Amino acid sequence: MRAIATAQPNIALVKYWGKRDVDANLPAVGSLSVTLDSLWTRMAVEFGDAPGRDRLEVNGEPAPGMVDRVSRCLDGVAGRERPAAAVTSTCNFPIGAGLASSASAFAALVVAAAGASGGDEDTKALARIAGRASGSAARSLYGGIVELSAGEDDIDLETLAAPGEWPLAVTVAVTETAAKPVGSSEAMTISARTSPFYTAWLARQPDDLAAARRAVRDRDFETLAAVAEHNCLKMHSVMFSSRPALVYWNAATLACLETVRELRRQGVPVFFTIDAGPQVKAVSLPGARDAVSDALGRTPGVVEVLTSALGSGARLVESS
Ligand code: PMV
């Protein structure tokens, strides 16, 4: 009863920030994202013969601090009466630093757990289980450009464009590899309680989603760029105006924004987005990828540049 799955992180262009229900981890807003290709988490799940405590290893090291979250997610797939599992995760990019490592991890985990337990859940059911562990993980079950709709009691997901239908490029400027100081769940709760802009953020999200959805349908890069940058800066305004303030940016984050804005002034088709971390993600048309990665690589404070095409979502690679 062993299976291996891989999944890629996704980057939201219209962001999820805020929970409708903290216990069920239901998002208060819908979101729209792109699933990456060349960054990945590979997850092996092996169920033993008897119930007991699960074991988790991340990049070759025991990770007891994360095991409870993993166990709850395994319960969601294989039931609470399941045997104990040995879970081994390998990731080819920094963890917990605003690069959506929890999205790829939980997406890969649910697929591997379903493979190892012989479950027959469809992709949407697995996405809903992954979403309870990490809201953004639900989107990594799907490839290309993905919309997550937030309903009263559950989420729904849809692929708006497969990777080949609108082949965008994503360049990640890493400005810091250490883990972020405040995790996104805690930070969302702080924002909901204290930011005077939080209610306005929730109210305007359907408009941003509709504009982004139309832009994807029409392959209208300019409109997608405008709505994505606006939505990102609006989310960070909610964070900045929270108490305590949630400032994930550093000096290099701001320098990267300037680099992207300057490229666009020169006519390069590119826009930025930033999640709960200091890294800047630049989305471009594929022909602009080298110009974008060169410019970000030369920006002061950037420690590494990663590039990726859009990928096809979580998949089972082995099961026995
Ligand atoms: O899925 P979580 O709980 O890590 O939250 C993700 C929050 C953002 O990355 C900031 C936005 C998003 O939609 O991915």
Side-chain angles (χ1 to χ4, degrees):
M1 301 296 260
R2 180 171 194 273
I4 300 176
T6 58
Q8 290 77 18
N10 68 80
I11 307 295
L13 308 185
V14 178
K15 307 291 190 187
Y16 150 49
W17 196 252
K19 296 179 197 287
R20 179 188 302 274
D21 179 335
V22 172
D23 293 335
N25 204 36
L26 278 179
V29 289
S31 52
L32 186 147
S33 59
V34 290
T35 300
L36 304 186
D37 183 36
S38 55
L39 278 57
W40 47 258
T41 301
R42 182 183 165 91
M43 189 73 71
V45 173
E46 179 161 15
F47 287 111
D49 303 321
R53 188 143 173 80
D54 300 319
R55 277 181 297 121
L56 172 67
E57 217 176 73
V58 178
N59 290 339
E61 301 285 334
M66 285 165 67
V67 84
D68 287 348
R69 212 165 148 206
V70 165
S71 297
R72 278 196 299 276
C73 189
L74 290 172
D75 290 349
V77 178
R80 298 181 67 168
E81 308 303 315
R82 66 180 172 80
V87 179
T88 315
S89 170
T90 319
C91 187
N92 76 339
F93 62 98
I95 292 179
L99 285 174
S101 55
S102 63
S104 53
F106 284 105
L109 182 69
V110 292
V111 174
S117 64
D120 58 358
E121 298 87 349
D122 63 9
T123 304
K124 195 173 288 180
L126 290 176
R128 287 173 168 163
I129 296 169
R132 274 183 242 141
S134 160
S136 57
R139 300 186 307 237
S140 276
L141 271 289
Y142 293 78
I145 306 180
V146 178
E147 180 171 1
L148 182 153
S149 309
E152 286 288 324
D153 305 318
D154 220 331
I155 55 170
D156 208 351
L157 293 118
E158 189 190 349
T159 299
L160 300 182
E165 289 176 333
W166 199 13
L168 301 173
V170 180
T171 305
V172 181
V174 179
T175 65
E176 167 72 67
T177 49
K180 58 192 167 199
V182 187
S184 46
S185 280
E186 186 188 346
M188 286 183 204
T189 307
I190 295 172
S191 287
R193 277 209 212 108
T194 64
S195 169
F197 303 156
Y198 183 72
T199 316
W201 157 256
L202 298 185
R204 299 298 296 271
Q205 190 76 343
D207 294 349
D208 288 0
L209 281 167
R213 200 183 303 125
R214 269 196 308 275
V216 172
R217 186 196 61 202
D218 299 342
R219 310 287 190 263
D220 177 352
F221 189 83
E222 286 296 305
T223 302
L224 187 62
V227 68
E229 290 192 352
H230 169 68
N231 187 267
C232 162
L233 293 176
K234 204 160 50 177
M235 178 185 76
H236 283 276
S237 303
V238 172
M239 295 170 171
F240 293 162
S241 58
S242 298
R243 288 183 143 177
L246 301 158
V247 182
Y248 288 105
W249 299 11
N250 59 29
T253 312
L254 210 45
C256 289
L257 288 203
E258 266 320 297
T259 298
V260 172
R261 287 152 78 104
E262 178 54 30
L263 284 168
R264 210 169 45 250
R265 279 193 285 273
Q266 294 166 9
V268 178
V270 59
F271 63 86
F272 65 77
T273 190
I274 308 162
D275 291 305
Q279 331 301 1
V280 175
K281 291 99 180 192
V283 181
S284 66
L285 293 177
R289 194 191 64 179
D290 292 350
V292 172
S293 84
D294 284 355
L296 285 171
R298 279 187 273 107
T299 300
V302 171
V303 292
E304 192 182 358
V305 172
L306 312 166
T307 56
S308 180
L310 302 195
S312 52
R315 70 191 174 89
L316 191 64
V317 291
E318 205 181 299
S319 94
S320 54

